[in-house]
Amino acid sequence: GDSVTQTEGLVTLTEGLPVMLNCTYQTAYSTFLFWYVQHLNEAPKLLLKSSTDNKRTEHQGFHATLHKSSSSFHLQKSSAQLSDSALYYCALSEGYAQGLTFGLGTRVSVFP
Amino acid sequence: NAGVIQTPRHKVTGKGQEATLWCEPISGHSAVFWYRQTIVQGLEFLTYFRNQAPIDDSGMPKERFSAQMPNQSHSTLKIQSTQPQDSAVYLCASSRDNNNQAPLFGEGTRLSVL
């Protein structure tokens, strides 16, 4: 079956530094990848989505590129802000109206 | 436009009691998903409906859990004889049934089984 691996459980960093969250996946089908961000006591919110190989997608200062050759969809930001402290989930779907398979999530804590 | 609405936000039950969780999807969204969130397991897929029909319930525990979607404006997740290990945040999401929409989540129902 489908699976998503996020290697970091917790990332701590100082405000202003770059951040990269790893996401790799396994699937035998068409690939739709997502990043969701969840702040404390809030709903997970869509941050980025992609189904196009080697195309960079950006939103709110974050960016990610789907690389089907390496089955990766890493999330990056050049300068972390305190408000970026949250739980980040990478997710995979066989189609936009199909169930999502989530990674275990990466908690990001940004300190002043 | 209101988002996905889940009620109640918090529910406390005693062991062995029944819990019913409600979800109102975004108007016009034909796909409705249920997920369970715990610290240990993260976000686990439970089940989903498309146009009110059950499509995939592969994530549902075989016993005590059931989900229904009697009309396009709401879905329910029912847990019979709740156990402490059922304690989690249950999240509902909905999406349009086309290739340009990702599921949008409600704020969830936090179930605590004492």
Side-chain angles (χ1 to χ4, degrees):
Chain A
D2 295 346
S3 67
V4 176
T5 301
Q6 293 180 248
T7 52
E8 307 95 358
L10 173 65
V11 171
T12 59
L13 70 158
T14 304
E15 186 181 18
L17 291 182
V19 58
M20 185 168 101
L21 307 184
N22 290 310
C23 174
T24 57
Y25 63 89
Q26 285 189 318
T27 180
Y29 302 101
S30 298
T31 313
F32 296 79
L33 270 295
F34 308 84
W35 277 101
Y36 282 83
V37 57
Q38 186 178 28
H39 289 91
L40 192 61
N41 296 323
E42 295 185 5
K45 291 183 175 62
L46 180 68
L47 183 58
L48 292 172
K49 61 183 180 183
S50 181
S51 60
T52 306
D53 198 12
N54 296 318
K55 181 179 178 181
R56 174 172 163 143
T57 181
E58 300 187 38
H59 185 61
Q60 296 184 338
F62 289 90
H63 64 91
T65 303
L66 176 59
H67 292 296
K68 294 186 179 182
S69 61
S70 59
S71 299
S72 68
F73 191 55
H74 306 319
L75 181 68
Q76 299 181 66
K77 189 175 185 182
S78 59
S79 177
Q81 300 177 315
L82 296 176
S83 58
D84 294 329
S85 295
L87 188 55
Y88 291 79
Y89 286 104
C90 183
L92 167 71
S93 173
E94 298 172 15
Y96 279 113
Q98 306 288 329
L100 295 168
T101 299
F102 284 88
L104 289 179
T106 298
R107 182 166 298 282
V108 173
S109 293
V110 182
F111 295 95
Chain B
N1 188 15
V4 175
I5 299 172
Q6 291 190 248
T7 55
R9 290 295 312 278
H10 303 274
K11 186 168 183 66
V12 180
T13 65
K15 182 178 175 180
Q17 292 183 329
E18 182 178 287
T20 300
L21 313 180
W22 295 74
C23 170
E24 180 181 331
I26 294 171
S27 179
H29 283 195
S30 56
V32 174
F33 308 85
W34 283 96
Y35 290 84
R36 176 169 62 185
Q37 184 176 30
T38 61
I39 293 175
V40 174
Q41 298 292 336
L43 277 161
E44 298 176 277
F45 168 77
L46 294 175
T47 186
Y48 92 98
F49 299 84
R50 182 184 293 150
N51 295 319
Q52 300 171 231
I55 302 299
D56 181 357
D57 66 353
S58 59
M60 291 279 274
K62 298 305 179 191
E63 298 178 350
R64 303 186 295 106
F65 281 65
S66 62
Q68 294 184 322
M69 191 161 185
N71 57 60
Q72 64 185 9
S73 64
H74 89 272
S75 175
T76 58
L77 179 67
K78 184 180 293 186
I79 308 172
Q80 295 178 313
S81 184
T82 54
Q83 303 298 310
Q85 60 266 30
D86 299 332
S87 296
V89 176
Y90 290 84
L91 290 160
C92 178
S94 69
S95 74
R96 294 187 188 278
D97 191 9
N98 62 46
N99 284 335
N100 196 34
Q101 296 289 329
L104 301 177
F105 284 84
E107 293 186 322
T109 295
R110 181 176 297 277
L111 175 66
S112 299
V113 182
L114 304 180

